[in-house]
Each structure stands twice: as C-alpha cells, then as structure tokens.
Amino acid sequence: STNTWGAARAKRFSQVKTGNSNGVAHSPEGFEIWDMDKSASPRPWREWDAEAGKWLTRPGAGVESRGKVRKKDNPAEKSNNLEPSAD
C-alpha cells in the first residue's frame, strides 16, 4: 500500500484496485481526500510523465475540491435530434 490517493482512467479502474496499474497521478503520502483541510497549504501530487518514463512532482497539481460525478451528455445523442430530410 502506498498510503496515497490516485487518479486513473476509468477503463483501468479494476487494474488499479488490484494493484496491477498505478494510474496517472498520486496524492502526497497520508493525504486524506475525504477530510481536506482547506486552510492547509496544498502539497503537490505526483503525475506520471510518459515521455520521461517516471513520476514527477508537479507544483500546484492536486485536488482543490470534490463533488458528485454527473453523467455527460452523449454527443452522438445530441446530433441525432435532427430529422432526415427528403431532399
């Protein structure tokens, strides 16, 4: 266990849960996302840099707030609202 929170693409979620993938970002050790102290100085998260092939600490990176995930409108559904023309 790394004692960190991580961020990953949804398609890799099950791999992250089983420890087979590290995701794309990690919180500082001991960071608690559910108990964020807004008055504390933010500590930078580590992000995977594919070009460099290593984890890099990014000043200013991290979580500012959290909330509920909202379903996105499917762009294909939006474009299908038009009736075909008989031209």
Side-chain angles (χ1 to χ4, degrees):
S1 171
T2 62
N3 194 27
T4 63
W5 280 91
R9 290 180 171 80
K11 67 181 181 181
R12 300 224 186 274
F13 183 67
S14 61
Q15 293 172 320
V16 171
K17 283 179 60 174
T18 60
N20 294 323
S21 174
N22 291 316
V24 295
H26 278 267
S27 72
E29 284 193 37
F31 177 82
E32 182 48 62
I33 201 166
W34 298 112
D35 220 5
M36 294 182 355
D37 181 359
K38 295 190 188 309
S39 65
S41 300
R43 295 183 293 162
W45 283 44
R46 294 173 292 156
E47 297 178 358
W48 179 252
D49 186 318
E51 261 185 47
K54 62 182 179 180
W55 292 94
L56 299 176
T57 300
R58 303 267 191 215
V63 174
E64 286 188 9
S65 65
R66 58 182 171 75
K68 292 184 178 183
V69 176
R70 293 185 183 96
K71 183 180 176 185
K72 290 183 180 180
D73 290 330
N74 184 344
E77 290 174 1
K78 285 184 177 181
S79 64
N80 287 339
N81 291 338
L82 302 173
E83 293 293 322
S85 64
D87 292 339

